[in-house]
Amino acid sequence: MAWNVEYTDEFEQWWNSLDEQEQEEIDRKVHPRRSAILLVGGDKTGDAGWYDRYVPVADDLFDKHLQELEESDGEKL
C-alpha cells in the first residue's frame, strides 16, 4: 500500500543524504501498519512551552499504542 507523503525541500535534502539502510530503519519506525495516528492536539498560540510539555506525552502515547498493537497482533513490533 502506497502512502501519499508531502515534505519540505529541507527534509528531502536530509533524507537523500541517508543511505538505504538508514532510510529503511526510519521507515519501519514510523508506524508498523503504515497508518497515521493523531496523538495530541492543542492550541500552541502564545505558548512557548507547548512542545516541551506535549512531545513527551505524545511519545508515551505512541509507546502505549505500539504495545496495544503487539498485544492484539501477538507479535513484537
Side-chain angles (χ1 to χ4, degrees):
M1 171 161 60
W3 285 31
N4 181 29
V5 178
E6 298 181 13
Y7 50 86
T8 64
D9 292 339
E10 293 82 2
F11 177 87
E12 180 179 27
Q13 183 178 10
W14 170 77
W15 182 259
N16 290 336
S17 74
L18 303 176
D19 63 36
E20 187 174 331
Q21 181 180 357
E22 291 170 315
Q23 289 178 352
E24 288 175 5
E25 288 174 12
I26 292 168
D27 190 41
R28 283 193 305 267
K29 292 179 183 175
V30 172
H31 192 283
R33 292 185 177 169
R34 296 202 172 281
S35 300
I37 178 170
L38 303 176
L39 299 166
V40 295
D43 184 359
K44 301 177 288 291
T45 305
D47 187 352
W50 194 92
Y51 288 101
D52 291 333
R53 286 192 312 280
Y54 288 103
V55 167
V57 171
D59 286 341
D60 290 343
L61 289 170
F62 190 66
D63 289 342
K64 180 180 177 186
H65 172 71
L66 291 178
Q67 182 178 3
E68 289 170 355
L69 289 179
E70 287 177 7
E71 291 169 2
S72 69
D73 292 349
E75 64 180 72
K76 180 106 174 106
L77 301 176

